[in-house]
Amino acid sequence: MKFRLLPFLSTLIISLFILACSDSKKEYATMLIYGGPIYTVDSSASKVEAVAIRNNKILFAGNLEEARTYENDKTQNLDLKGKTMTPGLIEGHGHFMGLGYNELNLDLMNTTSYQAIIDAVAERVKNLEPGEWIVGRGWHQSKWDSMPAETVHGFQTHHLLSEVSPENPVYLKHASGHAGFANAKAMEIAGLQKIALDGVKNYEVEGGEVLVDASGKPTGVFNERAQTLITKHIPEKTSESDIKAFELAVEACHRNGITSFHDAGIPKETIALYEKMKSEGKMRTRIYAMLTGWDKELLNNWYQKGIMVDDDHLFTIRSVKLNCDGALGSRGAWLLEPYSDRPDHFGHETLPMKFVKETALNGLKNGFQVCAHAIGDRANREILDRYEMAFNEYPDMANNHRFRIEHAQHLHPEDIPRFAELNVIPAMQAVHMSSDRPWAIDRLGEKRIKEGAYMWQDLLQSGVPIVNGTDVPVEPVNPIASFYASVSRKTLKGIPEGGYEPEQKMTRAQALKSYTLDAAYGAFEDDIKGSITPGKLADFTIFDQDLMTVDEKRILDTSVVMTIFNGNIVYSQQ
């Protein structure tokens, strides 16, 4: 009997040894997430029961029973308790430091009248010494409940503002960033009070204009590149304020479920700041940065150095941002036909198209993506033309360029299919439609609005992805508002019934993809993030209700309750 047991015992010992070795090599999860709807944005399994992660990577996404096999005594269990999880949201076009400074400076995003701006400035004056600057951003005259009695070209004049701040220079950027509003003290410092062009309604400068009244005196409104007449006199930001603004921007992203951010145009000083923040372990949002196209020396230096793709996936530079026209609200968008409410005006070409072509060629030769701001139909057409010229000149380098047009807000119908034909990605901020559509029809007229404005579904059906976002600080960074706009085509007040041009609505699946996988594609990062897929980064956003099924009227009631970045909980709603 003793000898018969030996073979059995030998087999048992070998099996246990193999099993032990096997288990020692198995990767166990550091966190197991389950207990609510989990939308993966992965075509192989769009919805799963559980996700297992190890450190900052996804190990498994599927049913809970199988996910449990990745669990050991060190695994953290996160029960969603009915809440909904998606891939970490990606802000596809914003201004990171603008987000931070908007929290530091005078935030006029929610003002609904000129009087509200005056009151905000008057309150700030109380705590300042004479001569200290007041800067802010966020006003938009087309969103006010009423207009002041005195206007020029639909804009307010500075007189009431100057009365409440006679000794403090004031400069307040338009929500779009494409115009600004100065008081008399700021214009005095800039030496602009002596402009006198009797009977002339504007004062042109290269790439912009100073609005003037009937007597030729400036009204305080500076459009497009004319803003530099004032802004060059505003004291430089300090390193301390930059760091504070950066930290505030990171916190704002976490509160809103944003784990990645496409930063649309940064100078060398901001590059240095981000490198410092990363070296100090403070880069807790993934930044995909576009080099500002205003600085040719900066571009040439980077063309020589080549792209910078971060192995840690925290701070990557491989694109260039060009500002090619203005905004519709300030009538700076460059149009093929004149503005309906200003028949003598076509907007502004704020960057020579020759430079767009030159940059497109340099981008192809040096591996840089080009992202060109275009809102008006002429700007979009001219940029598509320059991109096409570059692709034809260097066809072997244009296989995976992923060039983008930022905003692509108003298109001529003939140019809509060209995006897919040229593989150009439209990066469109859906919330702009909610904010702008009620008054945009005054700028463009009904025909142009219906045929070419905010053409999301036509573009998607043509075969191109859409990168979504908010253009913060033009709009609040809140992605839920942009998701709502994407699927409803309504203002954030829920009007009109059925939505504006409802045939252009995104489905909820399309809207979520535009904020995740398609946004990752727009940054060459769809292989590492954008979906809940094994091997990708463990970035997730958790909501208090199911965005994919909740009644449309309740979408805006949704809150981000938790943000997971790099496998760690970085925000949890109290």
Side-chain angles (χ1 to χ4, degrees), residues 294-359:
W294 295 120
D295 188 341
K296 293 183 182 180
E297 182 181 352
L298 177 71
L299 297 187
N300 288 331
N301 287 340
W302 276 90
Y303 293 151
Q304 291 176 11
K305 286 196 295 187
I307 63 174
M308 182 181 80
V309 179
D310 184 7
D311 291 338
D312 297 322
H313 311 300
L314 294 175
F315 178 35
T316 289
I317 296 177
R318 67 175 304 170
S319 62
V320 176
K321 165 75 181 303
L322 301 177
N323 292 77
C324 300
D325 75 339
L328 203 60
S330 57
R331 298 182 186 83
W334 193 21
L335 304 181
L336 289 164
E337 300 294 333
Y339 280 84
S340 297
D341 57 357
R342 190 176 168 187
D344 63 335
H345 190 63
F346 290 80
H348 300 284
E349 175 191 8
T350 56
L351 196 70
M353 288 300 111
K354 178 182 178 182
F355 186 64
V356 175
K357 183 185 176 185
E358 177 187 320
T359 306

Side-chain angles (χ1 to χ4, degrees), residues 146-395:
S146 61
M147 289 296 292
E150 184 181 9
T151 63
V152 174
H153 287 316
F155 288 96
Q156 72 281 7
T157 61
H158 72 87
H159 301 103
L160 295 177
L161 182 67
S162 298
E163 286 177 14
V164 299
S165 183
E167 300 300 326
N168 294 95
V170 180
Y171 192 68
L172 309 172
K173 276 202 168 190
H174 192 268
S176 67
H178 289 268
F181 184 43
N183 71 343
K185 190 65 177 178
M187 291 187 284
E188 177 188 325
I189 290 170
L192 297 174
Q193 288 287 52
K194 296 181 179 178
I195 293 175
L197 301 170
D198 291 343
V200 178
K201 293 294 183 185
N202 58 11
Y203 177 66
E204 296 284 346
V205 300
E206 185 179 1
E209 63 180 340
V210 179
L211 296 191
V212 298
D213 61 23
S215 66
K217 293 182 178 179
T219 65
V221 175
F222 294 79
N223 213 344
E224 302 303 341
R225 295 182 71 175
Q227 293 185 81
T228 60
L229 296 172
I230 298 291
T231 57
K232 66 185 179 183
H233 297 281
I234 299 174
E236 294 285 335
K237 300 179 179 75
T238 66
S239 58
E240 291 79 10
S241 66
D242 278 348
I243 291 170
K244 182 62 177 174
F246 179 90
E247 291 171 344
L248 289 171
V250 170
E251 291 173 12
C253 285
H254 291 171
R255 288 196 308 271
N256 287 280
I258 302 294
T259 58
S260 293
F261 197 105
H262 296 185
D263 201 352
I266 64 172
K268 60 184 179 182
E269 295 82 7
T270 303
I271 295 170
L273 172 67
Y274 290 175
E275 289 174 336
K276 174 180 169 64
M277 294 298 95
K278 187 193 170 190
S279 70
E280 294 179 1
K282 296 180 179 179
M283 184 67 77
R284 297 185 299 140
T285 299
R286 306 186 196 283
I287 292 183
Y288 179 80
M290 307 173 194
L291 300 168
T292 179
W294 295 120
D295 188 341
K296 293 183 182 180
E297 182 181 352
L298 177 71
L299 297 187
N300 288 331
N301 287 340
W302 276 90
Y303 293 151
Q304 291 176 11
K305 286 196 295 187
I307 63 174
M308 182 181 80
V309 179
D310 184 7
D311 291 338
D312 297 322
H313 311 300
L314 294 175
F315 178 35
T316 289
I317 296 177
R318 67 175 304 170
S319 62
V320 176
K321 165 75 181 303
L322 301 177
N323 292 77
C324 300
D325 75 339
L328 203 60
S330 57
R331 298 182 186 83
W334 193 21
L335 304 181
L336 289 164
E337 300 294 333
Y339 280 84
S340 297
D341 57 357
R342 190 176 168 187
D344 63 335
H345 190 63
F346 290 80
H348 300 284
E349 175 191 8
T350 56
L351 196 70
M353 288 300 111
K354 178 182 178 182
F355 186 64
V356 175
K357 183 185 176 185
E358 177 187 320
T359 306
L361 291 169
N362 281 324
L364 292 177
K365 285 189 290 186
N366 297 288
F368 282 86
Q369 176 190 47
V370 180
C371 305
H373 163 116
I375 289 179
D377 54 358
R378 180 165 182 186
N380 277 278
R381 174 172 289 181
E382 297 278 357
I383 291 164
L384 287 170
D385 287 347
R386 297 324 183 275
Y387 283 177
E388 187 171 13
M389 292 174 193
F391 301 157
N392 289 338
E393 195 161 330
Y394 293 124

Side-chain angles (χ1 to χ4, degrees), residues 87-123:
L89 300 182
I90 300 170
E91 170 56 60
H93 177 109
H95 305 276
F96 195 76
M97 293 303 290
L99 167 60
Y101 268 105
N102 221 42
E103 305 240 331
L104 276 177
N105 294 332
L106 202 57
D107 185 357
L108 304 172
M109 192 78 72
N110 296 313
T111 51
T112 57
S113 66
Y114 183 23
Q115 187 61 48
I117 292 175
I118 294 167
D119 293 344
V121 170
E123 190 63 30

